[in-house]
Amino acid sequence: MNTTSGTKSFGSTGDIDVGSLNKASANGSPSRYFDRHFQCEAAKILPGEYFATDKNMVLVTVLGSCVAACIQDTRLNIGGMNHFMLPRREQDPHNPVSMSARYGTFAMEILINQLIKMGARRENMEAKVFGGGNVLRGFTMNSIGEANANFVGEYLRNERIKMVAEDLLGVHPRKIYYFPTTGRVLVKKIKELHNHTIAERESEYDMRLRNVVVGGDIEIFK
């Protein structure tokens, strides 16, 4: 995989929780490794996963149609990232009782609630959001990426969490590097792909979401 554009930087303004939004997902928890470039521990966040920490590390994800919210308590320097898309079945993210809106709300709240458990306060939170590209074939007329981008912005406004940076929509996938203790984000646009990994991964995630049922705080796969 080659990247052909520069990197955009969104500057910065112990405990770790990792998890999967998909209880039946084969992905499990985010994988962790040592990043030689940044010389620190890293976690790779796949679709349907989230990660929150107060440690000096980098959270990495690749986004096509999915979106990622990077949320930080700017006073405690605790932060986390999620990675999700809305289910296309009954897709009406503006209807708060629709299945897609309830799943999106769940994906946001599970990260926010974990940060609160770690000591963060909503009034100290800032968010940076990314993704929502139109990269999945067959979604051109009713872009799932656009629906994801619209949902995350509307959710943050409704919850009065300040959105201080965004890089949304477009036609190219993005690779995101998020440093949760500082709030710094690096975004790299992927303009040339030599394989179909991103599209295949998100298409498989979309298929799993077609069978998900969200009720309260519990998510069950049929």
Side-chain angles (χ1 to χ4, degrees), residues 57-73:
M57 59 188 302
V58 60
L59 310 185
V60 184
T61 198
V62 178
L63 301 166
S65 300
C66 290
V67 289
C70 302
I71 301 177
Q72 184 199 34
D73 182 305

Side-chain angles (χ1 to χ4, degrees), residues 15-18 50-54 79-81 111 114-115 118:
D15 291 332
I16 294 178
D17 178 80
V18 302
Y50 70 95
F51 195 105
T53 183
D54 63 358
M81 173 196 285
L111 173 60
Q114 181 57 39
L115 292 171
M118 296 168 66

Side-chain angles (χ1 to χ4, degrees), residues 137-153:
R137 295 178 182 177
F139 293 171
T140 303
M141 297 302 294
N142 185 20
S143 171
I144 183 64
E146 183 177 358
N148 294 330
N150 290 340
F151 171 83
V152 71

Side-chain angles (χ1 to χ4, degrees), residues 94-116:
H94 301 292
N95 178 357
V97 298
S98 73
M99 197 273 288
S100 63
R102 285 188 293 143
Y103 181 82
T105 298
F106 172 78
M108 294 297 292
E109 287 186 349
I110 195 170
L111 173 60
I112 291 170
N113 288 342
Q114 181 57 39
L115 292 171
I116 290 173

Side-chain angles (χ1 to χ4, degrees), residues 67-209:
V67 289
C70 302
I71 301 177
Q72 184 199 34
D73 182 305
T74 58
R75 293 191 179 183
L76 295 183
N77 297 326
I78 296 172
M81 173 196 285
N82 60 21
H83 181 155
F84 71 96
M85 71 163 63
L86 302 178
R88 288 192 294 139
R89 187 187 67 189
E90 192 198 343
Q91 188 187 108
D92 184 5
H94 301 292
N95 178 357
V97 298
S98 73
M99 197 273 288
S100 63
R102 285 188 293 143
Y103 181 82
T105 298
F106 172 78
M108 294 297 292
E109 287 186 349
I110 195 170
L111 173 60
I112 291 170
N113 288 342
Q114 181 57 39
L115 292 171
I116 290 173
K117 289 179 183 178
M118 296 168 66
R121 299 176 65 90
R122 280 179 181 262
E123 58 266 31
N124 298 333
M125 291 182 185
E126 291 184 349
K128 299 173 183 179
V129 296
F130 307 95
N134 186 16
V135 301
L136 294 184
R137 295 178 182 177
F139 293 171
T140 303
M141 297 302 294
N142 185 20
S143 171
I144 183 64
E146 183 177 358
N148 294 330
N150 290 340
F151 171 83
V152 71
E154 184 175 346
Y155 175 90
L156 291 169
R157 287 189 295 272
N158 290 341
E159 294 297 316
R160 298 182 180 179
I161 296 175
K162 187 177 181 181
M163 188 166 64
V164 297
E166 64 177 89
D167 188 32
L168 298 165
L169 304 176
V171 297
H172 299 297
R174 299 162 170 87
K175 189 167 187 177
I176 311 297
Y177 301 86
Y178 175 52
F179 300 84
T181 59
T182 66
R184 183 188 182 202
V185 182
L186 299 176
V187 180
K188 185 176 290 187
K189 295 287 181 66
I190 304 173
K191 293 189 176 181
E192 290 186 9
L193 296 175
H194 290 249
N195 58 56
H196 302 290
T197 301
I198 297 172
E200 289 173 356
R201 184 180 293 157
E202 291 198 352
S203 294
E204 188 272 337
Y205 178 43
D206 176 65
M207 291 296 295
R208 295 202 314 269
L209 290 179

